[in-house]
Amino acid sequence: MANILLVEDDENLAFMLSENLEVEGFDVQHVKKGEYVMETIDEQAIDLILMDVDLAGEMNGFDVAERVRLSNSSLPIIFTTGKTHFKDIERGLKLRHVDYQKKPYGTKELLARINNLLNRVSESGSKKFVFSGLSFSPIDQVIEYDGLELRVAKTEAAFLRLLCENANGVVTKESIVWLLWGEQDVYQKEHSLNNLTHKIRKYLEGNPYVELVTISKVGYKLMER
């Protein structure tokens, strides 16, 4: 069963949550402050983080999650929060592989979110994207079409996966720069991003199935032809 890292500064709530999750078969590790999260995930195999947004200490839940994403792009994170402001929710969702559990909540509702997120990330990790005659495997980092097999670099694969996950939709430059390099300033990574899109276009050159479209001043879109 999955190993959950519970980040909660309320001792009574943490005890109750730990007991309920352990009854369901989960292993639970508990820390009270966000400052202890990185040390814990470095030392143990954590499958999911269940974390309060309003933590005691210098780091809130969003701060912790953003630091986690710099070294682990796919570890599932569920925020437990009473916050409902759009900017708060948006900050969390930019991190990918996250969910929200609004307080107060019941055990069944929380368990459903945990299982759904674990399954979703597992499926995403092994997924092969297919567009008519073209396919892309993020794990193998390989593009295939019309008998050709093209192996791409790690960052190129991460970028292409992001485009595939949002096929026919716009992926903003801000999202790309943050998810690939952990930077908030698009300008600092403009040159790297331009080089990256140029390489992806070279890989896709001549294929009749998809094309990478630039949306001026906004971002990019992988379009099916």
Side-chain angles (χ1 to χ4, degrees):
M1 204 58 167
N3 191 14
I4 295 177
L5 175 59
L6 173 61
V7 190
E8 174 58 64
D9 54 13
D10 184 324
E11 289 280 8
N12 292 329
L13 178 57
F15 178 78
M16 181 189 71
L17 281 172
S18 296
E19 278 206 327
N20 290 341
L21 291 170
E22 286 169 354
V23 166
E24 295 296 328
F26 294 101
D27 293 322
V28 181
Q29 317 301 320
H30 172 230
V31 297
K32 293 193 290 186
K33 292 186 177 182
E35 288 82 350
Y36 304 142
V37 169
M38 293 306 300
E39 179 182 350
T40 304
I41 65 176
D42 285 342
E43 295 178 350
Q44 300 187 45
I46 300 298
D47 298 300
L48 180 142
I49 297 176
L50 178 61
M51 180 162 54
D52 188 10
V53 170
D54 298 311
L55 295 168
E58 297 181 0
M59 302 176 71
N60 64 32
F62 295 132
D63 297 330
V64 176
E66 287 167 352
R67 183 170 294 184
V68 169
R69 279 293 176 264
L70 295 178
S71 59
N72 192 316
S73 62
S74 60
L75 180 62
I77 300 172
I78 296 179
F79 295 108
T80 60
T81 177
K83 292 178 176 288
T84 55
H85 195 283
F86 175 74
K87 286 186 177 180
D88 294 319
I89 295 175
E90 184 183 38
R91 183 181 179 189
L93 291 178
K94 284 181 179 179
L95 300 171
R96 300 175 68 224
H97 301 307
V98 302
D99 201 353
Y100 277 87
Q101 179 61 70
K102 186 179 177 183
K103 295 180 178 179
Y105 54 84
T107 303
K108 286 185 177 180
E109 184 181 2
L110 178 61
L111 287 171
R113 289 189 184 279
I114 290 172
N115 288 319
N116 286 341
L117 187 54
L118 285 171
N119 291 336
R120 198 163 75 222
V121 172
S122 175
E123 290 168 1
S124 176
S126 61
K127 188 172 184 179
K128 190 172 187 179
F129 298 96
V130 179
F131 304 92
S132 299
L134 181 144
S135 68
F136 168 61
S137 170
I139 301 301
D140 298 327
Q141 298 173 208
V142 169
I143 301 169
E144 294 180 272
Y145 70 90
D146 295 347
L148 294 176
E149 183 175 298
L150 307 171
R151 188 167 298 276
V152 302
K154 184 176 180 180
T155 303
E156 296 164 357
F159 178 42
L160 189 52
R161 175 175 180 166
L162 185 58
L163 292 168
C164 289
E165 288 176 340
N166 298 274
N168 299 311
V170 178
V171 182
T172 65
K173 290 183 177 181
E174 288 80 8
S175 297
I176 297 166
V177 168
W178 172 250
L179 292 169
L180 296 188
W181 295 290
E183 297 282 351
Q184 294 183 338
D185 189 346
V186 173
Y187 180 75
Q188 289 185 358
K189 287 294 182 180
E190 191 79 42
H191 181 68
S192 298
L193 185 54
N194 287 339
N195 284 340
L196 191 56
T197 55
H198 175 72
K199 289 177 180 178
I200 296 300
R201 284 198 170 98
K202 291 294 289 183
Y203 290 129
L204 300 178
E205 194 172 59
N207 92 87
Y209 310 108
V210 297
E211 64 176 325
L212 179 57
V213 178
T214 299
I215 308 301
S216 181
K217 299 181 181 180
V218 177
Y220 302 93
K221 180 190 294 189
L222 188 68
M223 290 283 294
E224 293 185 76
R225 296 181 186 273

